[in-house]
């Protein structure tokens, strides 16, 4: 089962560490966790870099305006 964790973050602090730990635990139990990092540009935020450094999958979710979340279904890995 795939599990998507979506977060808008500027660093790797408390909530980000919890998400990363949860993702690692989910992977150990056979789930397929993925991080969706919300950003206004194509930038790779620190939490996405941290997830990838731990061997976890993650994608950039570009949201430039209120209607963009409706178009996220077509998001691709960056």
């Amino acid at each position: 089962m795939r599990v998507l964790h979506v977060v808008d973050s500027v660093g790797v602090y408390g909530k980000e560490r919890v998400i990363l730990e949860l993702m690692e635990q989910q992977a150990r139990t056979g789930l397929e966790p993925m991080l969706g990092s919300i950003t206004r540009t194509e930038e790779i935020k620190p939490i996405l870099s941290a997830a990838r450094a731990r061997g976890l999958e993650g994608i950039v979710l570009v949201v430039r305006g209120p209607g963009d979340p409706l178009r996220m279904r077509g998001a691709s890995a960056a």
Side-chain angles (χ1 to χ4, degrees):
M1 173 188 286
R2 295 192 70 143
V3 179
L4 177 63
H5 298 270
V6 179
V7 65
D8 184 6
S9 172
V10 296
V12 181
Y13 305 107
K15 74 176 178 185
E16 295 85 3
R17 291 177 193 267
V18 169
I19 291 169
L20 294 171
E21 181 63 29
L22 176 60
M23 290 176 67
E24 288 180 327
Q25 292 298 326
Q26 288 173 331
R28 285 187 194 108
T29 64
L31 296 173
E32 298 176 40
M34 176 188 288
L35 180 72
S37 176
I38 297 175
T39 181
R40 287 186 149 304
T41 65
E42 295 288 333
E43 74 178 296
I44 304 295
K45 289 191 171 181
I47 187 161
L48 184 53
S49 295
R52 290 178 175 173
R54 294 175 182 217
L56 299 166
E57 189 177 353
I59 59 172
V60 173
L61 299 175
V62 179
V63 177
R64 292 188 178 105
D68 281 354
L70 299 174
R71 292 187 285 277
M72 277 195 220
R73 293 181 66 185
S76 62

